[in-house]
Amino acid sequence: MEWVLISRGCSSLISVLPPALERLIDDLSRLPGIGKKTATRLALHLLRRPAEEARNLAHDLADLHDAIGLCSHCFAFSETNPCAICSDERRDSRLICVVEESADLLAIEKTGAFSGQYHILHGVLSPIDGIGPDEIKIGALTRRVVKEKVAEILIATSSTVPGEATASFLIDQLGKTGARVSRLACGIPMGMDIKYADEMTLRQAIESRKTFGNG
Amino acid sequence: MALLHTPSVVIHVTDYGESDKIVTLYTLKYGKAVAIAKGAKRSKKRFVNKLEYFSLLDILAATGKYSSLLRIDQAELVNPFPSLRKSVDRYIGAMLICELMRLWTRENDCDELLYNLLIWSLEKLDCGQSVIDTIIFFQLRMLKLLGYQLSLSACVSCGSELSAASSFLFNPAQNGLVCKRCTSFKGGSHFPLLSMNTIKTLEMAQTLSLEKLSRLKFANQSARETVSLLRTYIPYLLQKDVHSWKQLEAIRMLP
């Protein structure tokens, strides 16, 4: 296979690439955080490696959507339905932690401090982007709480503006179900010097302070 | 490479790559500006809790060599408008305001009055004023500042004066009221209908100073008619849908 690189800027360089390589670069550059240059580097790297490696990667990519689906219970990505967490009898099914994304579930699981089940919203309310309550899994959560007589829902959305607004909406909606609704505490991170904390965080930490002993 | 120092409001935020954020600001000195904040998602001190929607900031940003994208070097939080994140109707109301600011303005086109209107509206929402009234006031005043003030004194087609007995329709193409007689010629039966009470309230909302404006209240019917007018007129002018309206509808906030 022979092709010529002409150093007249990126666009003219791309135009002389073999079509198969050009298609791969286009596909890779659609991935988040990958621009044209990184996509070109990755594509050329794959081309230099043995064909078997590229075939394995293609096989894994092709299998992704066939093998993995959403758990019908908590909406986590899983190869089984229900997922491993929902089908684990040691976990407390009357305690549900609500998170924005699968990555948040992994972060909480890493702590080992939570023994209940999860519910993944797959987003937060973002009206400016056309995402409202009907576009994320809020309806399914309300139905699940009522159907399974859940005792407590821990809302663990991020403490960004959309995350807080989504939490407020959930507190309103889930409050009507009679279940106890709690929110992940927000305040000073471990190891941080108080004088370097921003005002909002410090105010939040004071408001959600914890009482000890008889106080 | 110049350094810009200006008060600004965050009107849109999006993640970029692993750790950066692209932030759209409406600034006092330079109008709308799009800026990148390098390492903002991992920042534990410089940008934490600052590059959030609605935040009023004092920013220091550098201009790019080859593009209009600024680079934020420093951001001081002046007012985070904390109540806007604690209530979903205030949040969506503020989002509507930010969405309209983003759609209506251009980069490097500053307008101090529009900036002041943005701050006024966010303050009113934050301190608990009616969400529907505030978003109506914002839109009417924004249209006025941008040169699309509603013409409400007479029929824009035949010039007939308003009389207490009649109701008028609003024709987006003519930017004003048309009487029912003129509408029947032009096939405008789908135009929003405005009662005399609504027309009077709209006139006041367009002319009162911002200090007095918060004392004005829309009656339920007037609010309903005005929302219908704005939902027809603004997308007609922009030739685009405004997403946040649908979300206000979804949470049953519209009158």
Side-chain angles (χ1 to χ4, degrees):
Chain A
M1 180 181 53
E2 288 204 357
W3 39 276
V4 186
L5 296 180
I6 303 168
S7 55
R8 277 184 305 171
C10 194
S11 56
S12 51
L13 186 104
I14 296 295
S15 65
V16 297
L17 292 175
L21 194 58
E22 207 170 315
R23 281 198 303 275
L24 178 62
I25 291 169
D26 277 347
D27 289 341
L28 289 172
S29 61
R30 283 192 208 116
L31 298 173
I34 296 188
K36 211 84 183 175
K37 268 188 189 170
T38 310
T40 309
R41 206 176 65 240
L42 290 173
L44 290 172
H45 171 80
L46 287 170
L47 200 57
R48 278 189 219 107
R49 302 295 300 165
E52 190 58 27
E53 270 187 34
R55 240 176 257 126
N56 283 344
L57 179 66
H59 186 257
D60 290 343
L61 285 172
D63 266 3
L64 200 64
H65 281 276
D66 295 333
I68 298 176
L70 288 182
C71 167
S72 60
H73 210 224
C74 68
F75 299 102
F77 290 116
S78 169
E79 284 196 17
T80 57
N81 188 15
C83 67
I85 292 178
C86 289
S87 52
D88 185 346
E89 289 180 359
R90 286 167 300 173
R91 300 193 76 115
D92 185 356
S93 62
R94 284 169 54 80
L95 173 61
I96 293 180
C97 177
V98 182
V99 292
E100 289 173 24
E101 303 290 350
S102 301
D104 302 335
L105 181 153
L106 296 176
I108 293 177
E109 273 301 284
K110 260 194 221 169
T111 66
F114 182 74
S115 59
Q117 295 184 346
Y118 291 90
H119 186 94
I120 300 172
L121 295 173
H122 288 280
V124 279
L125 298 178
S126 182
I128 209 163
D129 303 311
I131 300 169
D134 297 338
E135 280 70 40
I136 54 179
K137 311 285 184 193
I138 290 180
L141 172 63
T142 317
R143 287 191 294 276
R144 182 178 170 191
V145 169
V146 173
K147 190 179 163 195
E148 295 175 16
K149 296 189 175 64
V150 172
E152 182 178 347
I153 306 130
L154 167 61
I155 300 173
T157 52
S158 305
S159 84
T160 56
V161 170
E164 292 278 353
T166 306
S168 305
F169 184 71
L170 288 173
I171 291 165
D172 285 349
Q173 297 294 305
L174 298 170
K176 297 170 194 164
T177 62
R180 185 177 164 213
V181 184
S182 53
R183 174 89 174 103
L184 211 61
C186 177
I188 309 288
M190 295 281 279
M192 189 189 203
D193 197 327
I194 282 181
K195 60 180 170 286
Y196 296 122
D198 68 291
E199 290 157 33
M200 273 283 282
T201 308
L202 203 50
R203 187 186 304 162
Q204 189 78 32
I206 293 166
E207 281 170 7
S208 50
R209 66 187 179 275
K210 204 172 176 179
T211 315
F212 295 99
N214 297 328
Chain B
M1 195 180 287
L3 277 181
L4 313 177
H5 185 204
T6 175
S8 39
V9 176
V10 178
I11 57 173
H12 193 256
V13 189
T14 181
D15 290 344
Y16 184 75
E18 279 294 301
S19 57
D20 304 341
K21 278 184 177 179
I22 302 270
V23 185
T24 308
L25 303 155
Y26 194 78
T27 69
L28 174 64
K29 294 183 188 170
Y30 310 98
K32 187 167 80 176
V34 183
I36 187 163
K38 289 274 186 188
K41 279 163 73 182
R42 288 184 181 158
S43 162
K44 286 190 174 137
K45 195 172 164 220
R46 193 160 62 135
F47 294 128
V48 69
N49 205 19
K50 289 173 184 167
L51 304 177
E52 290 284 332
Y53 274 102
F54 325 130
S55 289
L56 174 58
L57 306 170
D58 204 12
I59 64 146
L60 191 66
T63 54
K65 225 177 190 179
Y66 304 108
S67 76
S68 62
L69 190 71
L70 304 176
R71 190 196 66 226
I72 302 180
D73 284 343
Q74 202 178 307
E76 280 302 314
L77 187 63
V78 179
N79 188 350
F81 299 110
S83 300
L84 301 182
R85 56 175 81 188
K86 289 179 184 160
S87 133
V88 76
D89 52 342
R90 291 187 189 285
Y91 166 70
I92 301 180
M95 276 286 194
L96 174 67
I97 288 170
C98 289
E99 186 177 359
L100 289 170
M101 286 296 292
R102 193 163 166 240
L103 291 172
W104 275 106
T105 55
R106 291 181 305 178
E107 287 179 48
N108 278 322
D109 186 9
C110 76
D111 186 333
E112 193 178 336
L113 293 175
L114 196 56
Y115 175 84
N116 291 339
L117 176 66
L118 172 64
I119 300 286
W120 178 88
S121 308
L122 293 176
E123 278 172 353
K124 292 296 158 197
L125 285 176
D126 190 51
C127 73
Q129 292 259 331
S130 154
V131 176
I132 290 296
D133 284 1
T134 308
I135 59 178
I136 289 175
F137 293 149
F138 170 79
Q139 288 173 85
L140 292 172
R141 301 304 282 247
M142 182 194 67
L143 288 170
K144 185 180 172 184
L145 290 172
L146 296 171
Y148 294 100
Q149 179 171 6
L150 312 182
S151 176
L152 300 168
S153 54
C155 171
V156 288
S157 283
C158 67
S160 67
E161 294 290 319
L162 301 182
S163 64
S166 61
S167 57
F168 281 71
L169 292 107
F170 185 84
N171 183 355
Q174 290 178 287
N175 189 30
L177 300 176
V178 280
C179 62
K180 281 195 169 166
R181 198 168 58 88
C182 291
T183 318
S184 59
F185 296 132
K186 298 190 173 186
S189 53
H190 59 285
F191 293 160
L193 183 77
L194 299 179
S195 64
M196 193 53 66
N197 195 21
T198 304
I199 295 169
K200 294 287 175 208
T201 319
L202 286 174
E203 272 184 326
M204 275 197 276
Q206 289 195 133
T207 50
L208 283 175
S209 66
L210 284 183
E211 290 77 39
K212 290 181 183 168
L213 195 55
S214 46
R215 283 184 236 154
L216 187 67
K217 303 275 178 252
F218 272 89
N220 213 20
Q221 190 197 347
S222 296
R224 197 165 37 243
E225 289 174 4
T226 308
V227 165
S228 164
L229 180 159
L230 293 168
R231 288 191 75 181
T232 310
Y233 188 41
I234 290 182
Y236 172 82
L237 293 172
L238 288 169
Q239 292 296 300
K240 265 182 192 171
D241 276 340
V242 179
H243 296 305
S244 303
W245 275 124
K246 285 180 201 149
Q247 303 311 329
L248 275 173
E249 202 169 30
I251 62 158
R252 296 181 185 86
M253 261 302 294
L254 295 182

